[in-house]
Amino acid sequence: MAATLTNKSSSSRMRTLNRALESGALNQVSRMLNHTLSRAELGHLLESSPPRTRKILWELLDKKRQSKILPFLGDELIADVLRDMSAEEVADVTVDGDIDIDDAVDILQVLPEKVTQDVLNVMDDQNRQRVEAILSYPEDTAGGLMNTDTVTIRADITLDVVLRYLRRHESIPATTDNLIVVNRKDELIGLLPISILLVSDPSITVREIMETDFHRITADTPDDQVAQLFEREDLVTAPVVDGNGKLLGRITIDDVVDVIREDADHSLMSMAGLDEEDDIFAPVFKTSRRRAVWLGINLLTAFLASAVIGMFEATLEKVVALAILMPIVASMGGIAGSQTLTLVIRGIATGHIRNNNLSWLLSREILVGLINGLLWGSAVAITAALWFSDITIGFIIGGALLINLVIAVFSGSMLPSLLKSMNIDPALAGSVLLTTITDVVGYLVFLGMATLFYNLA
Amino acid sequence: MAATLTNKSSSSRMRTLNRALESGALNQVSRMLNHTLSRAELGHLLESSPPRTRKILWELLDKKRQSKILPFLGDELIADVLRDMSAEEVADVTVDGDIDIDDAVDILQVLPEKVTQDVLNVMDDQNRQRVEAILSYPEDTAGGLMNTDTVTIRADITLDVVLRYLRRHESIPATTDNLIVVNRKDELIGLLPISILLVSDPSITVREIMETDFHRITADTPDDQVAQLFEREDLVTAPVVDGNGKLLGRITIDDVVDVIREDADHSLMSMAGLDEEDDIFAPVFKTSRRRAVWLGINLLTAFLASAVIGMFEATLEKVVALAILMPIVASMGGIAGSQTLTLVIRGIATGHIRNNNLSWLLSREILVGLINGLLWGSAVAITAALWFSDITIGFIIGGALLINLVIAVFSGSMLPSLLKSMNIDPALAGSVLLTTITDVVGYLVFLGMATLFYNLA
């Protein structure tokens, strides 16, 4: 009995493996890779290995096992691994009986379109049709998420017949919580939960106990809406239908969990200009190139802020205290704005914020900005006045802080839906735009007010 | 047949409800709330309503229905709602037959300890024992996540007996993908997947086909490890045992999905100083108070940066161009550092980054910092030299940018595990500390180098 007490022995296996790797005991490593570790553990190990280790591990794997762990790898790693394979090899690997058809399609979607075509051409007809059926839906819809491994029954048979029918199967998918009831035209008409089947009198018919009140997901439903539905209704699987109610396949919770994880990670990573699909152990030059673009965009906004400051060169020459204090105004605006921005981006993603409650949120955020602007504006005003023994500078910085905070929370509230309506990803563009606004407004208001108050214009 | 074509009709129901609310047709609203909308839809509606609307909606709900939607509300909303109830009422609501025992415990855990005690005191013995069993485990462990609704069988009976035994039940939990096999001492010895039970010959015994190679989760396993296990192994349910292997309960995927969502949201929200449990429609003063603390902390770091700039007052008085350019150095450091910080925080949370690969990552990040520092440092150097017709200022800002970028990525790589080893949440403290470092280093290096180069010291 290969019992394992939680992850503890999983992580102890990982430690043994790492020791074996470090000491160069490749025979032992190979044995562990091909026999001891589960496919999921292997996928995790490869994902968390630097490139060189990863290459060694991969080459120690049996060919057959290589293919089986593909569904456990990230997109970028899959692309790396399949790059050197021929179309025939890729076809072998992806429609191998051990991989779900939806996983195979996910893998194919990582490849360049030309390669996918080549792979489809060498598949047998049946497999090609199954793959093409799913490939025809965008990856981020219910159609792209679904699997075609449904177990269907008719409504007019008794449960006893259902049980005998099931027993004629070699196996049914592990994640089967409902049998799907269809009519002669293959239209979805009900669900028979296994938990009901098991406790019911075998002589009654499916129609008498099947459920008819459930969500019918159409193939074109966006995947984030599917995820929200699963999350809200605690679903394990759900059938997918076409526009006419004909059964196409079903979605299982494990694929939905991936959507939820990717969706949440996307907001976090995009706000820092990162891509959640990126391999975190990508080599130096690949990583540098990606980061360079983001830094370049931010450099432009930094120069814009400098240009604003440059407009007030004469003022700064006369009152050097302004140069010392000005970063405070910009930075506090950035912090307040990014709080609101983060809140609104998450609220939109979870469906809690919609157009009909955004105006309430906007007024609350502006009030919150006003209150905190008055509070911290006063604190900064007093500190600055004491520091430079100058009441005027206190008034200027307090006022500038208040104005910048209100504009920051206003921008943070409005930017996400504005960007979304322009089909721009708010998580990606929001934080850059917001910082630009809070920097420009911060310096402009502070130095502008100073120029007026000190009569330096 | 109350068929619904995906969320479309759900959102159309929501629109109808909103129209009814706006026109004051409270009878229609009440009918929809109590009959048309699902519990999950109701929970979502309340979560996304501003306070006043929320109060109206809540009061239109039947008492019985109020209790049933509690598991679909966030912690803060639950606390709000239960505040005005007596211990008896809370007990009625939480151990009501329609709420899973783990959901009831989640609700009780939101309440102050004193109130929870009062509620336990008015429960009957059986319910109290069940609730106390789960309450005895911390909320963020497998024990706190688990439910006690297991269906157990013995190993030596035939499948036919199992099927007949199940039929004697009124019902079994909907999310039952495995029957749990225990011995006389209630120790977990195997799992019988329903999908195997349904396709197997009824005359064979459980022992012959039960699975024995699976993860045994102990009650003290942290919930994020449980989530990683479910995610990696595509589990739907998993049994929980005590230190001696005795069965305690089971964890279901719907609760794990909540952990995954909260865990991912936590990183995003904490980095902006927000709490993922906060009600996004909380009233103005509650929100202001929370935000004020975060702004106050950031104000301290902003003053620290100002103090650093203040050290170079004499230099700034003589070369005002420095004041114009200095935000560029600080801001680019902040951007580069937060990219690395975000990457490492997510990598640690998903288990991809551990101590044994952190050093590889650190060297890569430093190389990436160097490359981008050289690239954008040169670009900034040339621009600044041309702008102010001064080659010296170009050298100074280019060098300062390079140094700040390298220190930023170094800090971003090291801070998360350092903070974690001190039991401080990296997502919460990381971004503040990082900005402090990149601001202080940025201004110090840039203005310090300028003071030396212009011989102003």
Side-chain angles (χ1 to χ4, degrees):
Chain A
M1 192 172 94
T4 57
L5 263 165
T6 108
N7 278 1
K8 270 174 206 153
S9 51
S10 169
S11 63
S12 93
R13 282 206 293 277
M14 286 297 191
R15 269 197 303 278
T16 314
L17 184 86
N18 276 314
R19 267 200 306 275
L21 255 179
E22 275 157 29
S23 64
L26 291 191
N27 274 338
Q28 192 193 346
V29 173
S30 164
R31 203 167 46 244
M32 289 197 72
L33 291 181
N34 288 302
H35 303 289
T36 319
L37 297 181
S38 77
R39 297 191 297 162
E41 282 170 347
L42 258 179
H44 191 73
L45 175 66
L46 286 167
E47 282 286 348
S48 48
S49 295
R52 196 178 317 200
T53 320
R54 198 181 271 172
K55 204 166 147 49
I56 297 174
L57 293 173
W58 184 254
E59 281 166 6
L60 286 172
L61 284 172
D62 297 342
K63 276 271 166 274
K64 191 143 192 78
R65 204 156 159 81
Q66 285 183 348
S67 77
K68 287 189 189 161
I69 64 161
L70 281 178
F72 293 90
L73 300 180
D75 285 358
E76 193 165 337
L77 223 66
I78 292 176
D80 271 358
V81 158
L82 297 189
R83 192 168 297 128
D84 307 323
M85 291 190 182
S86 69
E88 284 81 6
E89 283 174 318
V90 175
D92 270 359
V93 164
T94 47
V95 296
D96 175 289
D98 266 30
I99 300 188
D100 283 348
I101 197 83
D102 61 330
D103 287 333
V105 172
D106 285 346
I107 293 167
L108 290 177
Q109 273 165 335
V110 172
L111 304 175
E113 202 165 329
K114 166 85 187 60
V115 181
T116 309
Q117 257 328 314
D118 289 347
V119 174
L120 284 173
N121 288 339
V122 297
M123 281 184 186
D124 65 43
D125 283 354
Q126 200 202 339
N127 280 329
R128 183 168 54 244
Q129 275 161 20
R130 287 163 69 206
V131 169
E132 280 177 342
I134 302 182
L135 268 180
S136 68
Y137 300 102
E139 202 180 346
D140 58 353
T141 62
L145 266 185
M146 74 183 178
N147 210 327
T148 49
D149 61 349
T150 50
V151 181
T152 56
I153 52 173
R154 290 290 162 80
D156 296 316
I157 57 176
T158 63
L159 300 190
D160 195 43
V161 174
V162 172
L163 288 170
R164 275 186 285 131
Y165 166 73
L166 290 175
R167 226 165 274 142
R168 286 211 305 271
H169 286 68
E170 275 281 299
S171 68
I172 59 173
T175 322
T176 301
D177 61 339
N178 293 308
L179 303 176
I180 301 178
V181 189
V182 292
N183 62 17
R184 269 169 207 286
K185 287 186 281 180
D186 233 14
E187 288 162 358
L188 172 65
I189 58 170
L191 293 179
L192 175 61
I194 301 274
S195 58
I196 304 283
L197 169 67
L198 289 173
V199 299
S200 301
D201 176 357
S203 67
I204 62 175
T205 63
V206 171
R207 188 180 301 281
E208 289 172 78
I209 54 161
M210 71 182 187
E211 290 182 357
T212 55
D213 184 14
F214 56 88
H215 286 266
R216 282 153 177 79
I217 299 173
T218 50
D220 58 355
T221 310
D223 63 356
D224 56 338
Q225 275 187 35
V226 173
Q228 282 184 26
L229 185 68
F230 267 71
E231 218 179 324
R232 264 187 252 163
E233 309 278 345
D234 289 349
L235 301 179
V236 173
T237 70
V240 178
V241 293
D242 68 11
N244 302 316
K246 205 179 137 203
L247 181 70
L248 295 174
R250 62 179 198 134
I251 295 174
T252 53
I253 182 73
D254 52 310
D255 296 316
V256 173
V257 166
D258 293 340
V259 173
I260 292 173
R261 165 73 81 196
E262 277 162 25
D263 177 51
D265 279 355
H266 175 77
S267 304
L268 177 74
M269 303 297 263
S270 297
M271 285 185 81
L274 301 165
D275 185 336
E276 74 280 7
E277 288 287 353
D278 282 356
D279 169 11
I280 61 172
F281 291 94
V284 173
F285 281 97
K286 210 168 185 176
T287 308
S288 303
R289 217 170 40 228
R290 283 176 192 148
R291 304 272 181 91
V293 177
W294 187 247
L295 286 169
I297 295 169
N298 279 281
L299 182 58
L300 286 180
T301 84
F303 265 119
L304 186 62
S306 288
V308 171
I309 301 171
M311 289 161 51
F312 300 98
E313 198 169 341
T315 307
L316 284 167
E317 254 171 11
K318 279 167 202 144
V319 190
V320 76
L322 297 174
I324 296 171
L325 291 173
M326 66 184 185
I328 295 177
V329 182
S331 128
M332 290 290 277
I335 297 288
S338 76
Q339 283 203 309
T340 307
L341 185 76
T342 306
L343 194 80
V344 174
I345 286 176
R346 271 327 280 156
I348 291 179
T350 57
H352 284 134
I353 296 179
R354 279 184 302 262
N355 288 334
N356 63 348
N357 55 23
L358 186 61
S359 66
W360 185 92
L361 199 80
L362 178 64
S363 3
R364 187 200 62 184
E365 287 299 314
I366 288 180
L367 272 173
V368 170
L370 269 173
I371 291 172
N372 274 312
L374 286 170
L375 174 70
W376 293 118
S378 317
V380 171
I382 294 167
T383 315
L386 291 174
W387 185 355
F388 295 98
S389 312
D390 176 359
I391 291 183
T392 314
I393 210 165
F395 269 108
I396 295 170
I397 195 167
L401 196 76
L402 174 64
I403 293 171
N404 203 22
L405 242 56
V406 173
I407 288 178
V409 296
F410 176 80
S411 313
S413 310
M414 299 306 291
L415 271 177
S417 38
L418 191 71
L419 288 169
K420 232 188 149 190
S421 71
M422 295 158 72
N423 268 321
I424 301 171
D425 178 6
L428 188 63
S431 57
V432 183
L433 275 176
L434 184 83
T435 321
T436 312
I437 294 172
T438 51
D439 278 1
V440 167
V441 171
Y443 293 125
L444 196 64
V445 171
F446 179 58
L447 296 176
M449 279 171 69
T451 308
L452 287 176
F453 271 80
Y454 288 115
N455 287 317
L456 298 169
Chain B
M1 194 170 97
T4 56
L5 264 164
T6 113
N7 278 2
K8 270 173 207 154
S9 51
S10 169
S11 63
S12 94
R13 282 207 293 278
M14 286 298 192
R15 268 197 304 276
T16 313
L17 184 85
N18 276 315
R19 265 200 307 273
L21 256 178
E22 275 158 29
S23 64
L26 292 190
N27 274 339
Q28 192 193 345
V29 174
S30 164
R31 202 168 47 242
M32 289 196 73
L33 292 180
N34 289 302
H35 303 287
T36 319
L37 297 182
S38 76
R39 298 193 295 162
E41 281 170 347
L42 256 179
H44 190 73
L45 175 67
L46 286 166
E47 284 286 347
S48 47
S49 294
R52 195 179 315 197
T53 319
R54 199 181 270 171
K55 204 165 147 50
I56 296 174
L57 292 173
W58 184 255
E59 281 167 7
L60 285 173
L61 283 172
D62 296 344
K63 277 269 166 273
K64 189 138 196 83
R65 204 155 160 82
Q66 284 183 347
S67 75
K68 286 189 187 159
I69 64 162
L70 280 177
F72 295 89
L73 300 181
D75 285 359
E76 191 165 337
L77 222 65
I78 291 176
D80 270 358
V81 158
L82 297 189
R83 192 168 297 129
D84 307 324
M85 291 190 181
S86 70
E88 285 81 6
E89 282 174 318
V90 175
D92 270 359
V93 164
T94 48
V95 295
D96 174 291
D98 266 29
I99 300 188
D100 284 349
I101 197 83
D102 62 330
D103 286 334
V105 172
D106 285 347
I107 293 168
L108 290 176
Q109 273 165 333
V110 172
L111 303 175
E113 203 165 329
K114 166 84 187 57
V115 181
T116 310
Q117 256 330 312
D118 289 347
V119 174
L120 284 173
N121 289 339
V122 297
M123 280 184 188
D124 65 44
D125 283 354
Q126 198 202 340
N127 279 330
R128 183 168 55 245
Q129 276 160 20
R130 288 163 68 206
V131 169
E132 280 176 341
I134 302 183
L135 267 180
S136 67
Y137 301 101
E139 202 180 346
D140 57 353
T141 62
L145 266 185
M146 75 184 177
N147 210 328
T148 49
D149 60 350
T150 51
V151 181
T152 58
I153 53 173
R154 290 289 162 78
D156 297 317
I157 57 177
T158 62
L159 300 190
D160 195 42
V161 175
V162 172
L163 288 171
R164 274 187 285 130
Y165 166 72
L166 290 176
R167 226 165 274 143
R168 286 213 304 271
H169 286 66
E170 276 280 299
S171 68
I172 58 173
T175 323
T176 301
D177 60 340
N178 294 307
L179 301 176
I180 300 178
V181 189
V182 293
N183 64 17
R184 271 171 206 286
K185 286 187 281 179
D186 234 14
E187 288 162 358
L188 172 64
I189 58 170
L191 292 180
L192 175 61
I194 301 273
S195 57
I196 305 284
L197 169 67
L198 287 174
V199 299
S200 302
D201 176 357
S203 66
I204 61 176
T205 65
V206 171
R207 190 179 300 281
E208 289 171 78
I209 54 162
M210 72 181 187
E211 289 182 357
T212 55
D213 183 16
F214 56 88
H215 287 267
R216 282 155 176 75
I217 298 173
T218 51
D220 58 356
T221 310
D223 62 356
D224 55 339
Q225 275 187 36
V226 173
Q228 280 185 28
L229 186 69
F230 267 71
E231 219 180 324
R232 264 188 253 162
E233 309 278 345
D234 289 348
L235 301 179
V236 173
T237 70
V240 178
V241 293
D242 68 12
N244 302 316
K246 204 179 138 207
L247 181 70
L248 295 174
R250 63 177 196 134
I251 295 174
T252 52
I253 182 73
D254 52 309
D255 296 316
V256 173
V257 166
D258 293 341
V259 173
I260 291 173
R261 164 73 81 194
E262 277 162 25
D263 177 50
D265 279 355
H266 175 77
S267 304
L268 177 74
M269 302 297 263
S270 296
M271 285 185 82
L274 300 164
D275 185 336
E276 74 280 7
E277 289 285 355
D278 283 356
D279 169 10
I280 60 172
F281 291 95
V284 173
F285 281 97
K286 211 167 184 178
T287 308
S288 302
R289 217 170 41 228
R290 284 175 190 150
R291 305 273 182 92
V293 177
W294 186 248
L295 285 168
I297 295 169
N298 279 281
L299 182 58
L300 286 180
T301 84
F303 265 119
L304 187 62
S306 287
V308 172
I309 302 171
M311 289 160 51
F312 301 97
E313 198 170 340
T315 307
L316 284 167
E317 255 172 8
K318 278 166 203 143
V319 190
V320 76
L322 297 174
I324 296 170
L325 292 172
M326 67 186 185
I328 294 176
V329 182
S331 128
M332 290 291 277
I335 297 288
S338 76
Q339 283 204 308
T340 308
L341 184 77
T342 305
L343 193 80
V344 174
I345 285 177
R346 269 329 277 156
I348 291 178
T350 57
H352 284 133
I353 297 180
R354 279 184 303 262
N355 288 333
N356 63 348
N357 56 23
L358 186 61
S359 66
W360 185 91
L361 199 79
L362 179 64
S363 5
R364 187 199 63 181
E365 287 299 315
I366 288 180
L367 272 175
V368 171
L370 269 173
I371 291 171
N372 273 312
L374 286 170
L375 173 70
W376 292 118
S378 316
V380 172
I382 292 167
T383 316
L386 291 174
W387 185 354
F388 295 98
S389 312
D390 177 358
I391 292 183
T392 314
I393 211 165
F395 270 107
I396 296 170
I397 195 168
L401 196 75
L402 174 64
I403 294 171
N404 203 23
L405 241 57
V406 173
I407 288 179
V409 295
F410 176 81
S411 313
S413 310
M414 300 307 291
L415 272 176
S417 39
L418 190 73
L419 287 169
K420 230 187 150 186
S421 71
M422 296 158 71
N423 268 323
I424 301 172
D425 178 7
L428 188 63
S431 57
V432 184
L433 275 176
L434 184 83
T435 320
T436 310
I437 294 172
T438 51
D439 277 0
V440 167
V441 171
Y443 293 126
L444 197 64
V445 171
F446 179 59
L447 296 175
M449 279 171 68
T451 308
L452 287 176
F453 271 80
Y454 289 114
N455 286 316
L456 297 169

